[in-house]
Amino acid sequence: MSASVLQNVTHSCFALSYLCALLLELGRTFWPGKGWRVAGLAFGAAGLVAHSAFILFHQPTPAAPYGSLLLLAWVLALFYLYGTVHHAKQAWAVFVLPVVIGLVGLSLALATAPNASEFTVPEWAAGDRFWGIVHGLLILGASVGISVSFLASLMYLLQARRLRKKLAPGGAVPMLSLERIETMNRRALNVAFPLLTAGLLVGTLLLSQGHVTGDNWLSLKVLTTAALWVVFLVLLYLRYGGHVPARRLALLSIAAFAILLVALVAAHPFAEGGAK
Amino acid sequence: MNLRAIGCNVESAAVELREKLAFDAAKTQRALAELTARFAAEAVVLGTCNRVEIYVSRQETVAALHVPMMAEFLSEIHGVPASAIAPHLYEHADASAAKHLFRVASGLDSVVLGETQIAGQVKDAFESAQKFGATGPLLNALFPNALRVSKRVRTETGIARGHVSVSSAAVDFVQQVFSSFADKTVLVIGAGKMGRLTLKHLAELKPAAVLVTNRNPERAASVAKECGGRVLPWDRLDDALAQADIVLSTTGAPEPIVSARRYAERVRPRRGGRPQVIFDMAVPRDFDPDIHDGDAVSVFNVDDLGRVAEARMAERRKHLPAAESLIESEVAKFVGDWNRRANGPVIGQLTSEVDKLRDGIMVPLLAKLNGKLSDAEKAQIEQAFRLFQNKLLHGPIAALHASSHEGQSGGLREALRKLFGLQG
């Protein structure tokens, strides 16, 4: 793929592809048939290819809100495709794609005209900023886990609501069993917490050594990330030690995702009052 | 096409008659042998608990088999008076017979709409007839088509979606909570009929263990023996409840055996938040409905399961028009294809016969005029004869093609055979 072709790939290309995939998936829930799924998968895969090409060409930094949101959306798009292929009968896309599209939209709102770079090591990955990147990647990994946990929690709440109301199983939006959703949630949290902890430690060291300019200990980003870690700690304690109903844990996971979004967006100049 | 589907089903005949007309392996073999030998017919015998049907196809040139003759035939096979059989038999002819088979194989003619078992029974009936050499070109084309259509109907419409019996709806519910059953324990409380039926469906999930408890130890032992379970004393009910993931309760107790308070105090704290599904199949109910929270504990009673089963059936009924439409188009395609296939030899014979007639007139004529005509003039005469022949045959052949689309070319083929003296 030549650089000129890659340059023409925009947010709209993959956002619209994901949207079409979502609409087709919704169509499948009302009118069953193989065609919907195949067409939805084709659009989803096309969106992922365009998304990958965009990231490859523009190489957004995970240390900035724009890049981290875009990269997070990309990982979740991968998760969507994997889930749709492996859980063919479930309405996987109905849950994952809105989040992917939302993250792409949010990144677009925070975009500050990304530069079309050459295929070289980007500036942000070189020299002193290496640990900043490590920090960004660790937080990104944790963000993926938190996002998966958020999706699992949404599915759990919907499935539990169906059971509480004793609605007919399956329905328009077929979903995984509570047990399977719970396993997915647990694994996501188990992966996310160490990454978040490590990311937070690296960030703390960078802050204490004055490697990071503009941020300070009381900045919104630092505070929300710390709050996220505390929520996670509570979440893990309740999950493994508190025997709290799974529905409450799901609500707490959703709250964690909301804090994550604030933490990811917080570094942007708008959120920092234009300080950066 | 000379196809007939003759038989009776749950709507046309009472179970007493259907029982008498049931085909075992020996009777099936005998019937197929008789039908092929006596009537020179292709035949398939389809016998299920809800229907007895015979599909027969004969040459188009011979008379079709009808209800009176089939009643006589069934009377000979089963020893039931034909007069007792005939009023309960229905008959579908040609395209209608094909449509009937497609509907039967797709579960549209079943008591439980969209049931899947019938497709296997149709397949078995066809394979059995094939094994005895009772099938021919038409049925060899019709039955595989019926099975293909049945698959299309099930996959392209929602006609077979979900369980529609009360006991099997329990499986759907339990699968909403658990995904693996190899590590799950089922507890059976009591020994009611509905409970046993539900247990049969749950046992298909292959749980790790089945525990059985009952006020009457002997009845507990009997149920445990039936399902390969382990008996627990009645006074250890709380322990069993704390241990079990799926509970099936069917006692005849006049009031709940597990109150919300008892569950909250003696069972819930010991479960560590693990989900539990309780099927309370007893009337009056065995479990206090307040135990249900749809998160850690889900309690479903007979009414809940019945409502789901009925909702499923209503959902299936919504897909009926789509399924019928698919079958209509498949029948039209099958009949059209079959007629085109059957028209081929007739058109071939017709052309060949008229070729012979033409040559019978043209060749002596050209011989008589030999020497008086140039080669160009001879060619013109030959061309004129061919043109006349083509114009003469265009009408019948076009009518044959047109009628094959309408599914009524059998009569026309027969007429052409008679008019032009073609062989059958």
Side-chain angles (χ1 to χ4, degrees), chain B residues 29 40 79 86 94 107 135 146 150 190 193 196-197 310 312 318 325:
Chain B
Q29 191 172 355
D94 301 333
T135 58
S150 151
K193 188 184 170 189
R196 287 184 184 202
L197 208 57
E310 184 45 46
R312 281 277 162 74
K318 283 187 196 166
S325 155

Side-chain angles (χ1 to χ4, degrees), chain B residues 322-376:
Chain B
E324 294 283 13
S325 155
L326 196 151
I327 285 176
E328 283 289 354
S329 69
E330 284 286 353
V331 169
K333 185 171 174 286
F334 174 78
V335 172
D337 286 350
W338 175 259
N339 280 331
R340 271 188 291 281
R341 195 172 145 187
N343 287 347
V346 175
I347 293 170
Q349 271 189 45
L350 185 62
T351 312
S352 158
E353 284 299 319
V354 179
D355 276 348
K356 279 184 207 161
L357 284 174
R358 185 197 66 208
D359 290 345
I361 296 167
M362 192 178 68
V363 172
L365 177 68
L366 290 177
K368 211 176 196 178
L369 296 172
N370 197 16
K372 295 176 187 170
L373 298 172
S374 66
D375 286 348

Side-chain angles (χ1 to χ4, degrees), chain B residues 184-215:
Chain B
K184 300 295 181 294
T185 300
V186 175
L187 169 65
V188 184
I189 308 171
K193 188 184 170 189
M194 184 61 95
R196 287 184 184 202
L197 208 57
T198 309
L199 179 61
K200 206 173 147 191
H201 285 286
L202 290 174
E204 286 169 11
L205 300 171
K206 299 191 180 5
V210 178
L211 306 176
V212 183
T213 187
N214 197 311
R215 279 198 177 94

Side-chain angles (χ1 to χ4, degrees), chain B residues 18-227:
Chain B
R18 297 202 313 275
E19 275 172 358
K20 288 176 187 165
L21 298 183
F23 280 91
D24 57 18
K27 281 183 178 173
T28 303
Q29 191 172 355
R30 189 183 149 205
L32 291 171
E34 291 277 329
L35 285 164
T36 49
R38 201 192 303 176
F39 302 111
E42 303 177 40
V44 171
V45 175
L46 175 63
T48 71
C49 52
N50 289 327
R51 70 184 64 247
V52 176
E53 286 176 347
I54 298 181
Y55 292 83
V56 279
S57 170
R58 303 182 79 190
Q59 288 279 332
E60 282 181 354
T61 47
V62 297
L65 291 177
H66 293 292
V67 162
M69 205 181 276
M70 193 56 79
E72 288 291 342
F73 176 76
L74 288 171
S75 170
E76 281 178 36
I77 298 282
H78 297 288
V80 179
S83 58
I85 301 172
H88 302 282
L89 295 183
Y90 47 73
E91 177 179 335
H92 297 278
D94 301 333
S96 167
K99 182 181 172 182
H100 178 72
L101 177 63
F102 288 6
R103 291 186 82 253
V104 166
S106 305
L108 303 194
D109 199 52
S110 299
V111 175
V112 178
L113 182 68
E115 60 123 339
T116 52
Q117 204 182 1
I118 186 69
Q121 290 166 326
V122 169
K123 187 171 183 243
D124 290 345
F126 172 59
E127 285 176 350
S128 169
Q130 259 193 328
K131 197 172 126 192
F132 294 125
T135 58
L138 180 57
L139 297 188
N140 280 338
L142 180 68
F143 274 78
N145 249 294
L147 294 169
R148 185 183 58 78
V149 171
S150 151
K151 196 175 174 187
R152 270 198 75 191
V153 168
R154 286 175 219 289
T155 53
E156 294 178 27
T157 74
I159 204 83
R161 204 183 287 163
H163 291 114
V164 289
S165 73
V166 169
S167 50
S168 59
V171 173
D172 280 349
F173 269 121
V174 91
Q175 283 176 332
Q176 298 297 295
V177 178
F178 301 117
S179 52
S180 88
F181 296 89
D183 57 346
K184 300 295 181 294
T185 300
V186 175
L187 169 65
V188 184
I189 308 171
K193 188 184 170 189
M194 184 61 95
R196 287 184 184 202
L197 208 57
T198 309
L199 179 61
K200 206 173 147 191
H201 285 286
L202 290 174
E204 286 169 11
L205 300 171
K206 299 191 180 5
V210 178
L211 306 176
V212 183
T213 187
N214 197 311
R215 279 198 177 94
N216 180 337
E218 284 167 11
R219 294 193 76 182
S222 158
V223 175
K225 192 179 172 190
E226 213 173 274
C227 64

